[in-house]
Amino acid sequence: MSTNYKAPVDDYVFLLHDVIAPTAPHALGGMARDDTRQVLQQAAHFFEKVWAPLDGPGDEEGCHFDNGAVRTPSGYLAGYAALCEAGWNRVSVPEESGGAGLPEGIDQAVREFSASACNSLGLYAILTAGAHATVRRTGEPWMLEHVVPAMVEGRWAGTMCLTEPHCGTDLRLMKTRAVSQPDGSWRLSGTKIFISGGDQDLTENVIHLVLAKVPGEDGRIRDDLSTVRLFLVPKRVVDPDSGTLGGSNGVVVAGIEHKMGLKGSATCALSFEHALAYPLRESNQPGSTQRKSSAGMSGMFDMMNSARLVTGLQALSSASRAYGHAANYARERLAGRAAKAEDRTGGTADPIVVHPDVRRLLLKQASFLEAARALALHVTALLDEPDEALRANRNAIGSLLTPVIKAFFSDRSFESANDAMQLMGGHGYIRDNGVEQLVRDCRIFQLYEGANGVQALDLVLRKLPAGGGRALAGFLDMVDATAWEAAQREPLRAHADALRQAAQDIRACGKWLADPSRSPYDAGAASSDFLAMMGIVASAWMWLRMSDVALGLLPDAENGTFLRRKLELARFWFARELPLVPVLRQRVETGAACLMALPADQF
């Protein structure tokens, strides 16, 4: 039974050139189809051959913590060095910063390939990319000259440090402080936990982006966000004039966590002991403005929003590899006979792929994964809109869908990985065949970068009312426009009508949530179901777009198998997933009464 990883090159070429680029040409930056395929084939070969073999052994070995330092699993150091040498860690970084300057759509494909091949190892590079992007937007000139190039090359790594032992989501409760010194420098002290990549043996330095509070004139730390700032804190001292590395900077690794999954990624507790820190400036990212009380952490907000999108993609990546295992198993495993005699093979048993319930599990996985891949590309294109006349509206829609990408993707990816295990039965449950690890790895993404319940609250309490509901209206206008266009093709008319009705259900829920007479608890009670509605409808939107394109390409296609497969996956989503929307609407409109009636002491 094959468990090798196969990167979805054909899918990305189709999505980028046929689905996304016609309405968002900047997603490809003028790249020709052959060039896209060549780049992605090279990336696929690297991650399939170099990184994928490291995944299972890295999970078995895990990270080591000895004498205050972290050692990654065997093979990680060579694998990371090979990544940096080949340049796959800097695909979309601007050329002036040392990168290849390729479009973000290509970068998404490469990130998925890397995460599917070895998600634990990929985290070190992904976190570094997010960190140096933040420094490029908020750093001082000396950081752009010395810090960013070292991070882009892969000689230095990066992290983001938010969580503390006593607080996670509620950053008002942070105790880490940064104090200005008489010589104009800053010193930072405090403890941060759950820091992915907080230490490792892959790079010569680690650049920590740390949230800390600046004490008031009375020396006190206040429980609000008004004094929060983002600081750059290197593991080893960096000379701002020359970029030369010095000794330790008072960043002490207190230990590493023993985790359920992603065992090759070192999750550290860090103690900052009077560490030299450098304040970062306000972000210059379009649309990054925050409420005044938290303006000092705008750079971290940018990094967190980017990390939400990446987290959704990482979850999808683990689930995609699990699906590959399950599909191979279903084609090869023999058990029972097909219900129709004409579908039976000549042997004593048939491959289990002939059985309807096995197909249900496979179609459920594949239809989610391929719609999610398309939606992630589309949201990235919305957030990167270069046309000033369109930017504000499209950025708002992209921002609206960001918590959906993170939460819906990670919820469904964990479910998909479990479906892969279910299909494989005992062979999925044991460690030998890889799926058991992928289920464990996939679980964390529902918790990373703000747990999914927090993402749902962000959607209904902040994203929906922003701009008077303009983003939701814009999203649904896009959905309706796609439905109207697809309805011109008779084979897609029923899909288009169903999508329009589902969009109406979302509009109705949006109005219900905006009603000022609602109980203060109603938004929280409805938020997770509303986010699920958004994810299902956004995925159906992508399937309708892909179906419209596929039908248009079929008459001239040399081999229509790929396109006909898309149409069948869309058929499954509209038949089995979209009908859940009115049920979710009913749950949304039930309100909070049944959740809040039971006294707290009876739980």
Side-chain angles (χ1 to χ4, degrees), residues 241-477:
D241 293 326
S242 65
T244 303
L245 285 179
S248 173
N249 186 34
V251 182
V252 178
V253 185
I256 59 175
E257 304 295 343
H258 302 283
K259 306 176 296 181
M260 176 180 179
L262 293 182
K263 294 185 177 183
S265 168
T267 302
C268 302
L270 300 179
S271 177
F272 295 89
E273 300 177 355
H274 207 55
L276 188 62
Y278 301 93
L280 294 171
R281 298 177 295 187
E282 291 304 302
S283 174
N284 59 13
Q285 178 86 341
S288 67
T289 55
Q290 303 292 331
R291 59 187 184 277
K292 188 174 181 180
S293 64
S294 59
M297 50 195 284
S298 63
M300 184 62 81
F301 273 117
D302 287 348
M303 188 174 179
M304 289 170 63
N305 282 330
S306 175
R308 290 180 183 184
L309 298 173
V310 171
T311 297
L313 185 66
Q314 287 176 288
L316 181 153
S317 302
S318 283
S320 180
R321 189 166 183 183
Y323 167 75
H325 290 344
N328 287 337
Y329 184 87
R331 288 190 295 265
E332 298 172 11
R333 178 72 171 180
L334 303 179
R337 303 305 303 271
K340 284 188 175 182
E342 59 266 33
D343 292 332
R344 294 171 185 167
T345 62
T348 57
D350 297 321
I352 63 172
V353 73
V354 302
H355 303 306
D357 195 58
V358 170
R359 286 173 166 256
R360 175 185 65 84
L361 292 171
L362 290 172
L363 287 165
K364 183 181 171 188
Q365 293 172 69
S367 61
F368 158 68
L369 292 167
E370 295 183 28
R373 190 174 288 134
L375 184 60
L377 285 171
H378 186 69
V379 169
T380 298
L382 290 172
L383 292 170
D384 290 342
E385 175 58 56
D387 189 332
E388 191 171 346
L390 300 173
R391 185 181 301 143
N393 184 52
R394 292 193 172 182
N395 282 183
I397 297 169
S399 179
L400 173 79
L401 292 173
T402 293
V404 178
I405 295 284
K406 193 277 178 185
F408 183 72
F409 281 23
S410 56
D411 281 343
R412 282 301 188 98
S413 292
F414 183 62
E415 188 176 333
S416 290
N418 274 283
D419 284 341
M421 177 184 285
Q422 183 69 26
L423 186 152
M424 294 175 65
H427 290 286
Y429 190 69
I430 61 176
R431 303 195 72 172
D432 304 50
N433 297 315
V435 170
E436 174 268 347
Q437 177 195 338
L438 293 166
V439 171
R440 288 186 287 104
D441 285 352
C442 219
R443 184 61 181 88
I444 187 59
F445 300 116
Q446 294 169 290
L447 306 176
Y448 267 170
E449 311 309 335
N452 286 357
V454 175
Q455 303 298 323
L457 280 174
D458 177 58
L459 175 64
V460 301
L461 294 179
R462 295 186 61 197
K463 299 295 194 295
L464 279 186
R470 176 168 54 94
L472 181 63
F475 164 66
L476 294 175
D477 285 347

Side-chain angles (χ1 to χ4, degrees), residues 41-280:
Q41 284 176 337
Q42 291 173 353
H45 183 268
F46 175 86
F47 290 109
E48 290 168 2
K49 303 301 182 184
V50 179
W51 271 35
L54 300 174
D55 199 32
D59 177 70
E60 289 275 359
E61 180 183 347
C63 291
H64 307 270
F65 181 63
D66 299 307
N67 298 319
V70 174
R71 179 165 50 86
T72 56
S74 302
Y76 272 35
L77 179 59
Y80 193 82
L83 174 87
C84 298
E85 182 179 357
W88 297 120
N89 63 322
R90 50 187 180 272
V91 169
S92 64
V93 176
E95 292 183 77
E96 59 268 25
S97 296
L102 294 179
E104 286 292 335
I106 302 296
D107 188 62
Q108 177 184 314
V110 172
R111 288 190 183 193
E112 181 184 333
F113 298 174
S114 70
S116 287
C118 190
N119 227 331
S120 288
L121 181 53
L123 263 171
Y124 297 105
I126 285 172
L127 287 164
T128 300
H132 68 60
T134 299
V135 177
R136 292 203 311 271
R137 291 191 296 267
T138 64
E140 299 293 340
W142 72 267
M143 299 176 188
L144 305 184
E145 181 181 359
H146 300 304
V147 176
V148 169
M151 297 177 78
V152 170
E153 291 171 21
R155 292 186 289 112
W156 298 359
T159 74
M160 61 176 178
C161 303
L162 288 76
T163 305
E164 299 185 5
H166 58 283
C167 74
T169 302
D170 193 347
L171 297 175
R172 298 173 305 147
L173 306 180
M174 286 191 307
K175 294 181 179 178
T176 298
R177 64 169 62 196
V179 180
S180 177
Q181 305 298 302
D183 63 0
S185 66
W186 291 78
R187 293 286 176 172
L188 186 144
S189 300
T191 299
K192 299 289 185 178
I193 63 170
F194 301 156
I195 308 305
S196 297
D199 193 45
Q200 30 74 10
D201 57 354
L202 309 176
T203 64
E204 62 184 2
N205 200 14
V206 182
I207 300 299
H208 301 289
L209 301 188
V210 186
L211 278 184
K213 288 184 176 180
V214 177
E217 293 182 1
D218 58 1
R220 295 177 58 192
I221 295 288
R222 290 170 173 77
D223 289 341
D224 60 41
L225 297 178
S226 62
T227 60
V228 171
R229 293 193 67 176
L230 180 62
F231 291 85
L232 183 153
V233 184
K235 173 185 173 181
R236 293 175 60 187
V237 174
V238 179
D239 182 352
D241 293 326
S242 65
T244 303
L245 285 179
S248 173
N249 186 34
V251 182
V252 178
V253 185
I256 59 175
E257 304 295 343
H258 302 283
K259 306 176 296 181
M260 176 180 179
L262 293 182
K263 294 185 177 183
S265 168
T267 302
C268 302
L270 300 179
S271 177
F272 295 89
E273 300 177 355
H274 207 55
L276 188 62
Y278 301 93
L280 294 171

Side-chain angles (χ1 to χ4, degrees), residues 533-555:
M533 290 176 71
M534 289 284 290
I536 292 169
V537 169
S539 299
W541 175 36
M542 291 297 102
W543 274 123
L544 196 56
R545 288 186 62 183
M546 287 187 277
S547 297
D548 196 21
V549 170
L551 280 175
L553 293 174
L554 259 176

